[in-house]
């Protein structure tokens, strides 16, 4: 994110780090990196270095009616799975440092789940594209190692039930005369945008439901998945490649991690089959590809149905939403 959250100031964060992790912070610096979570680089009075992440629990809910506690539990399960995976010998996992109570994160204030990570030195990458074919193959190796981990690695992970987060709000926004309240500068423009493209958006949702129904008729292996293994969630360190940001980890079919990895020529799909003995299925790849797009739209629609002030993040999110809705409208207009 681009700016620190107003309701999680350093005056609240710093005491929480000491309370839950025993970290006495000497310096705290907000890092405008990544998207979706807030980050700080923290130096301890003892010279230790940490990377602190805070997630807004509203974004971890599946529906508007879910309490924030449900979002916290979902985030806790994902980070616990990362911890379990690392304990199963997958040292490429950058897992959170357990808090004093043994949990992988702590609730700070009413709206945030905070996790602490060891500081990792290495080369970071943009989320949009892999730096080289070797980079892509390295991530495939990490995913194959994740997917073939023993069952203990997913003992605390939640199972993917194919639900689209914030779908209820997207469907409400598609209804004629939705009457979205004016909660900030992007509320009405976002509502108009969705209304203008409501019909193709509903067709995309119907297409997704069709894929889910078909998927439920097939047997499918369940593995621990990262959820977002794009280049921005990788780092190249002195010890090799690592995977970061496990906040969306779930037990799911392997295609959840593979749909975005293949460059379009089938090479990664074939390579994955060679590594694991499991051949990814086109239906599941299509399902997860479509859910990614719908989820991005639904998350931003939800954002602008809540109170917001027009921050740099709001402006950027509205740009993303506009592009995604028009792209989805083109796809939905072709009938899927």
């Amino acid at each position: 994110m681009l700016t620190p959250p107003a309701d999680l100031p350093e005056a609240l964060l710093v005491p929480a780090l000491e309370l839950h992790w025993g970290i006495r912070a000497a310096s705290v610096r907000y890092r405008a990196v990544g998207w979706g979570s807030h980050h700080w680089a923290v130096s301890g009075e003892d010279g230790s270095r940490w990377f602190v992440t805070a997630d807004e629990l509203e974004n971890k809910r599946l529906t508007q009616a879910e309490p924030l506690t449900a979002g916290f539990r979902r985030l806790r399960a994902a980070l616990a799975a990362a911890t379990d995976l690392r304990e199963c010998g997958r040292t490429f996992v950058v897992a959170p440092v357990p808090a004093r109570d043994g949990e992988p994160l702590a609730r700070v204030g009413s709206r945030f789940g905070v996790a602490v990570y060891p500081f990792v030195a290495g080369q970071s990458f943009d989320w949009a594209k892999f730096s080289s074919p070797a980079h892509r193959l390295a991530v495939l190796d990490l995913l194959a190692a994740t997917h073939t981990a023993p069952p203990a690695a997913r003992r605390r992970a939640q199972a993917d039930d194919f639900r689209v987060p914030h779908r209820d709000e997207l469907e409400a926004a598609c209804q004629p005369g939705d009457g979205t309240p004016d909660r900030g500068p992007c509320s009405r423009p976002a509502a108009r945008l969705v209304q203008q493209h409501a019909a193709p958006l509903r067709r995309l949702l119907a297409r997704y439901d069709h894929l889910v129904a078909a998927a439920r008729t097939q047997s499918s292996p369940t593995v621990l998945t990262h959820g977002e293994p794009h280049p921005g969630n990788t780092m190249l360190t002195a010890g090799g490649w690592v995977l970061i940001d496990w906040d969306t980890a779930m037990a799911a079919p392997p295609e959840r991690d593979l749909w975005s990895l293949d460059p379009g020529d089938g090479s990664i799909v074939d390579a994955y089959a060679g590594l694991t003995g499991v051949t990814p299925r086109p239906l599941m790849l299509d399902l997860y590809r479509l859910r990614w797009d719908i989820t991005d739209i639904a998350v931003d629609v939800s954002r602008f149905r809540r109170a917001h002030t027009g921050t740099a993040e709001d402006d950027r999110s509205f740009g993303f939403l506009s592009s995604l809705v028009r792209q989805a409208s083109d796809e939905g207009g072709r009938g899927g």
Side-chain angles (χ1 to χ4, degrees), residues 167-244:
R167 176 172 177 163
D168 57 327
E169 295 178 89
L170 175 58
E171 290 181 331
C174 287
Q175 294 300 315
D178 168 49
T180 298
D182 189 355
R183 306 298 301 279
C186 295
S187 291
R188 297 294 172 78
R192 286 195 296 270
L193 176 70
V194 173
Q195 288 280 301
Q196 290 166 2
H197 300 275
L201 286 173
R202 283 195 290 265
R203 285 195 290 272
L204 280 185
L205 289 169
R207 178 184 165 203
Y208 178 71
D209 291 341
H210 175 76
L211 290 172
V212 169
R216 294 191 189 282
T217 67
Q218 302 181 4
S219 60
S220 177
T222 298
V223 299
L224 182 63
T225 59
H226 178 282
E228 298 183 351
H230 56 68
N233 282 338
T234 67
M235 292 182 66
L236 182 57
T237 72
W241 291 96
V242 298
L243 269 176
I244 63 174

Side-chain angles (χ1 to χ4, degrees), residues 28 32 34 67 74 77 79 119 121 127 166 191 196 226 253 258 264 269-270 294 336:
V28 178
R74 194 168 287 112
L79 298 185
F119 181 84
W127 70 273
H166 307 287
Q196 290 166 2
H226 178 282
L258 300 175
V269 169
D270 292 342
I294 295 173

Side-chain angles (χ1 to χ4, degrees), residues 202-334:
R202 283 195 290 265
R203 285 195 290 272
L204 280 185
L205 289 169
R207 178 184 165 203
Y208 178 71
D209 291 341
H210 175 76
L211 290 172
V212 169
R216 294 191 189 282
T217 67
Q218 302 181 4
S219 60
S220 177
T222 298
V223 299
L224 182 63
T225 59
H226 178 282
E228 298 183 351
H230 56 68
N233 282 338
T234 67
M235 292 182 66
L236 182 57
T237 72
W241 291 96
V242 298
L243 269 176
I244 63 174
D245 288 356
W246 290 81
D247 59 290
T248 57
M250 297 186 81
E255 290 88 352
R256 182 172 185 253
D257 279 341
L258 300 175
W259 70 267
S260 65
L261 195 62
D262 193 272
D265 59 4
S267 58
I268 292 296
V269 169
D270 292 342
Y272 181 84
L275 287 170
T276 66
V278 175
T279 300
R281 294 160 298 164
L283 180 148
M284 297 303 298
L285 294 171
D286 288 345
L287 183 154
Y288 280 111
R289 184 179 296 110
L290 184 55
R291 188 172 78 170
W292 180 276
D293 291 341
I294 295 173
T295 297
D296 275 353
I297 293 170
V299 165
D300 284 336
V301 166
S302 173
R303 178 189 188 98
F304 297 130
R305 291 169 72 88
R306 303 196 303 264
H308 61 283
T309 59
T311 62
E313 284 90 354
D314 291 332
D315 292 341
R316 187 174 180 184
S317 292
F318 187 77
F320 287 157
L321 178 62
S322 299
S323 176
L324 288 166
V325 166
R326 290 185 171 89
Q327 177 183 332
S329 183
D330 289 343
E331 294 177 1
R334 291 195 297 270

Side-chain angles (χ1 to χ4, degrees), residues 62-211:
L62 286 178
T63 69
Q64 188 177 27
E66 264 195 344
L68 294 183
T69 301
F72 181 80
R73 288 197 299 264
R74 194 168 287 112
L75 178 60
R76 181 177 59 194
L79 298 185
T83 301
D84 292 339
L85 179 61
R86 184 173 178 87
E87 290 179 353
C88 285
R90 274 45 174 186
T91 57
F92 57 83
V93 177
V94 180
V97 177
R100 282 173 162 167
D101 62 0
E103 294 291 347
L105 81 165
R107 190 162 180 178
V108 179
S110 62
R111 296 183 53 242
F112 294 93
V114 174
V116 172
Y117 297 84
F119 181 84
V120 177
Q123 181 181 359
S124 299
F125 299 88
D126 181 76
W127 70 273
K129 62 180 181 179
F130 288 95
S131 60
S132 67
H135 186 182
R136 192 187 301 271
L137 288 172
V139 175
L140 175 65
D141 287 340
L142 301 185
L143 293 177
T146 298
H147 295 178
T148 56
R154 59 178 186 272
R155 63 188 177 90
R156 292 190 285 176
Q158 291 193 355
D160 186 8
D161 59 4
F162 304 124
R163 295 172 71 187
V164 175
H166 307 287
R167 176 172 177 163
D168 57 327
E169 295 178 89
L170 175 58
E171 290 181 331
C174 287
Q175 294 300 315
D178 168 49
T180 298
D182 189 355
R183 306 298 301 279
C186 295
S187 291
R188 297 294 172 78
R192 286 195 296 270
L193 176 70
V194 173
Q195 288 280 301
Q196 290 166 2
H197 300 275
L201 286 173
R202 283 195 290 265
R203 285 195 290 272
L204 280 185
L205 289 169
R207 178 184 165 203
Y208 178 71
D209 291 341
H210 175 76
L211 290 172

